[in-house]
Amino acid sequence: MQQCSRRRRRRGPWFAASDLSLGLTRGEASGSVSSLRSNKKGGRENVLRILFVASEGLPFSKTGGLADVIEGLPKALVAQGHEVAVVLPRYRGTKTAAVVKPSVTVALGTQLRFPSIADGGLLHGVRYYFVDDPEYFDRDGIYGESSGDYPDNAERYSEFCRAAIEIAKHVWSPDVIHCHDWQTALLPLLLRTSYADDPAMKDLPVVFTIHNMGYQGLFAKEVLERAGIPASVFQPGGIEFFGKVNLLKGGLIFSDYLTTVSPTYAREIQTPEYGFGLEGVARSRSERLVGILNGVDYAVWSPDRDKWIAMKYSAKDLSGKQVCKLELLESFGLPQENVERPVLGIVSRFVDQKGFDLITEKARELLREDLALVALGTGDPKYEEFFRALAQAYPSRVGVKIAYDDVLAHKIEAGADMFLMPSRYEPCGLNQIYSLKYGTVPIVRATGGLDDTVENFDVEHGTGTGFKFAEYSGAALLYAVRQALHHYPDERIWKRIQLNGMAKDFSWEAPAADYAKLYQAARTLRGSEQAPGGPDRTARGPGPGSGNQMPVGTSN
């Protein structure tokens, strides 16, 4: 077992530089939208009315990172002077202020449904509307329960998309609609088909964000009629996908611009490894595909203002981190002697995508090192059982909580020394960004947003914010962890890595400005389509390269 007690080591020449450059600028780490045409005039002419449509959003509902984006990005856009409204389903427990429209008529095949539109009021300057249909949305879960996804999800979110269009038409008129993931992918499709003869709606610009290409909304062909989806789009150049209906594919084809949540992921989804069968469609839209890195809310996730941690701290005074480490050990029932060891933290869904096959492969080798491990999460039963067994085998050095616990997640970010994210793929990732701000050095696989936000530490120049590995293998993961353990005992080196990370700014300000440029580009595009020369076929509907590539097994 290698010892990692603190001891002084010879320092490199970079310690002499008091004005040390701290790695990548935010401009280099965010999506490239510089080529997009934007309105540079001052005053109210720059103000946009943006309607967000999403299946979940904080503080009302959450299953994943999408909800964080739907809270953070609209708030940042309002702060920059834009007008923003958000449309969400009214799930169980959601309180509303008033009813805006008692009934909206929605045709789903031969069935008529009559959801109401509720006003959720203003929050941080953002207006919220809810599509209220208790039969569809007042359920125990959002997308499903422990037994699996709800079998009528296609119908539920088809109604939701149609109701959102009616909100745009009759309640809150936008300049552009911003849709997110497969649950809202029918909206642009419906605008260009069912609403193609509606002069008020047919040319409304749509930006569509792919938060995770692995979740596509795959359904049997029979849902076409039940969900009221035009039969004409069920073809390889439309939403047909090896005999099934693929809703995400509709969003990719019929939207004006596509975004992903990091620049690297925008490139990755155009490859077979990460495209899940839709890489050809993504490549066919590459000129309209932009990667914009997600931001984080530092009002909630910053050690100098975090209300959930034992003691606040900052880059100017890191002493509180040691207090947080002691509280973290206590929270997991681990002996206080572990305060002398590096503590490796994990907060995640326990699924293959997050790299837990690598962790299970190398866990016992990892624990031959002189470290402690704390893990928080839920997911695949085989990984939950693995962590329980690991904690039983190493009761003094491994702590595990099989739960979703936001407060404990804050304590891990503040108290751990290192944070492990060995994802097979990671569209953006948030925890590694939180870790940087908390001085908790991230160890990540170089994929998607992990690659865009973490810079490998260079001991010669004193630059970098963490440790990365490229090959998806247990050996590569173990090597990256050992690299971090090698530097941990030298307090000066370790503090430099911490301060490099804490200096990074991944707030929503820059991404919001990038999205505003993109919205303006989508408006310009829609306006130009009315000029002589005919419609832009790439933006309006199926075109070359939008057919199928390979079957994919993916959850709805």
Side-chain angles (χ1 to χ4, degrees):
M1 190 182 292
Q2 297 180 5
Q3 296 297 313
C4 280
S5 59
R6 295 286 196 186
R7 62 183 184 276
R8 188 178 299 276
R9 285 184 179 158
R10 182 173 62 84
R11 302 187 297 273
W14 45 269
F15 278 112
S18 59
D19 57 345
L20 182 67
S21 173
L22 299 181
L24 293 175
T25 65
R26 181 55 195 260
E28 292 170 317
S30 66
S32 175
V33 294
S34 58
S35 62
L36 299 176
R37 290 168 289 180
S38 61
N39 184 350
K40 298 183 184 296
K41 297 178 182 178
R44 297 293 294 176
E45 293 182 49
N46 252 341
V47 173
L48 295 169
R49 285 173 61 88
I50 308 143
L51 184 67
F52 278 68
V53 182
S55 58
E56 60 181 81
L58 286 171
F60 304 101
S61 52
K62 175 173 178 171
T63 67
L66 167 62
D68 298 271
V69 174
I70 301 306
E71 179 182 43
L73 179 54
K75 196 160 56 171
L77 287 163
V78 166
Q80 294 179 7
H82 303 290
E83 299 174 24
V84 183
V86 176
V87 181
L88 297 166
R90 187 183 182 189
Y91 298 117
R92 180 172 296 174
T94 302
K95 292 181 170 44
T96 57
V99 174
V100 178
K101 287 184 74 67
S103 177
V104 173
T105 302
V106 170
L108 297 183
T110 58
Q111 178 188 191
L112 291 180
R113 299 190 66 86
F114 305 95
S116 63
I117 307 302
D119 185 350
L122 276 171
L123 188 61
H124 303 295
V126 180
R127 171 69 61 184
Y128 286 88
Y129 295 104
F130 294 92
V131 176
D132 191 2
D133 184 340
E135 183 183 346
Y136 272 174
F137 299 118
D138 185 9
R139 299 181 179 183
D140 290 337
I142 291 181
Y143 308 121
E145 298 174 18
S146 57
S147 58
D149 292 336
Y150 292 127
D152 60 350
N153 273 346
E155 297 95 300
R156 296 172 74 216
Y157 291 104
S158 177
E159 176 189 277
F160 176 64
C161 289
R162 290 173 183 273
I165 292 173
E166 293 302 311
I167 291 172
K169 187 173 181 179
H170 298 291
V171 178
W172 199 90
S173 177
D175 295 316
V176 62
I177 296 180
H178 190 169
C179 294
H180 300 262
D181 278 349
W182 72 261
Q183 293 90 346
T184 62
L186 275 177
L187 191 151
L189 183 154
L190 292 169
L191 283 179
R192 310 308 175 220
T193 54
S194 301
Y195 287 80
D197 296 325
D198 187 329
M201 305 304 292
K202 65 177 183 176
D203 285 314
L204 190 58
V206 178
V207 171
F208 184 84
T209 296
I210 307 148
H211 294 262
N212 191 326
M213 195 77 140
Y215 297 91
Q216 299 184 355
L218 285 174
F219 299 94
K221 179 182 178 181
E222 288 69 35
V223 304
L224 287 171
E225 183 175 353
R226 295 203 309 267
I229 302 171
S232 61
V233 299
F234 189 71
Q235 34 109 347
I239 63 172
E240 187 273 331
F241 190 77
F242 296 94
K244 291 188 174 183
V245 170
N246 188 317
L247 296 185
L248 180 67
K249 190 180 177 188
L252 301 186
I253 291 171
F254 287 93
S255 299
D256 297 293
Y257 275 95
L258 308 175
T259 78
T260 65
V261 290
S262 69
T264 294
Y265 193 59
R267 296 188 295 270
E268 288 178 340
I269 64 169
Q270 299 179 58
T271 69
E273 184 178 0
Y274 299 100
F276 290 92
L278 293 179
E279 59 273 6
V281 184
R283 285 196 301 271
S284 75
R285 300 301 314 277
S286 61
E287 292 185 0
R288 304 274 176 81
L289 172 59
V290 179
I292 301 178
L293 195 65
N294 279 346
V296 299
D297 187 350
Y298 287 132
V300 178
W301 290 95
S302 185
D304 60 348
R305 61 184 74 178
D306 193 328
K307 65 180 180 179
W308 302 116
I309 63 178
M311 182 175 176
K312 294 179 175 63
Y313 62 93
S314 68
K316 293 180 179 178
D317 181 5
L318 286 167
S319 58
K321 189 165 178 60
Q322 192 78 345
V323 178
C324 294
K325 186 174 183 178
L326 286 166
E327 186 198 37
L328 176 64
L329 294 171
E330 183 179 343
S331 299
F332 277 89
L334 295 177
Q336 298 292 288
E337 65 192 42
N338 285 296
V339 76
E340 297 299 324
R341 294 187 172 103
V343 173
L344 189 61
I346 295 172
V347 178
S348 181
R349 287 182 295 117
F350 296 162
V351 294
D352 287 340
Q353 180 213 322
K354 300 295 184 178
F356 283 96
D357 53 336
L358 303 186
I359 293 174
T360 56
E361 176 191 340
K362 292 297 181 180
R364 281 166 176 77
E365 274 188 74
L366 193 61
L367 285 162
R368 291 184 193 135
E369 307 291 339
D370 189 28
L371 58 79
L373 174 68
V374 295
L376 168 67
T378 62
D380 192 319
K382 70 180 179 182
Y383 292 130
E384 292 183 358
E385 183 54 38
F386 162 77
F387 275 113
R388 289 191 188 98
L390 198 66
Q392 289 177 351
Y394 301 89
S396 65
R397 291 196 293 130
V398 176
V400 173
K401 293 287 177 70
I402 307 298
Y404 172 82
D405 188 330
D406 190 54
V407 173
L408 189 55
H410 281 255
K411 295 182 187 297
I412 292 174
E413 289 290 3
D417 298 293
M418 307 165 190
F419 196 93
L420 185 60
M421 292 183 72
S423 303
R424 181 180 295 273
Y425 71 96
E426 193 66 60
C428 179
L430 293 174
N431 279 101
Q432 85 281 7
I433 302 177
Y434 301 152
S435 296
L436 292 171
K437 185 57 70 176
Y438 282 78
T440 301
V441 176
I443 304 169
V444 304
R445 180 162 178 261
T447 182
L450 299 178
D451 200 20
D452 290 329
T453 53
V454 178
E455 182 186 357
N456 219 19
F457 178 61
D458 181 344
V459 68
E460 184 66 26
H461 299 97
T463 57
T465 58
F467 299 88
K468 298 195 289 191
F469 63 99
E471 180 185 280
Y472 190 76
S473 69
L477 179 151
L478 193 59
Y479 180 78
V481 173
R482 284 173 173 163
Q483 288 254 280
L485 295 176
H486 172 74
H487 290 298
Y488 177 77
D490 191 312
E491 294 185 18
R492 296 289 298 274
I493 289 179
W494 197 255
K495 186 175 182 180
R496 173 46 57 198
I497 304 172
Q498 289 177 299
L499 294 180
N500 288 353
M502 295 177 83
K504 295 297 181 182
D505 177 13
F506 291 106
S507 65
W508 272 110
E509 183 178 356
D514 285 347
Y515 273 110
K517 293 176 184 176
L518 193 65
Y519 300 146
Q520 195 61 265
R523 294 186 70 207
T524 302
L525 176 69
R526 277 281 144 195
S528 70
E529 287 179 350
Q530 304 311 304
D536 183 317
R537 304 182 70 86
T538 308
R540 293 184 67 88
S546 60
N548 299 328
Q549 281 71 52
M550 55 180 289
V552 57
T554 178
S555 167
N556 293 325

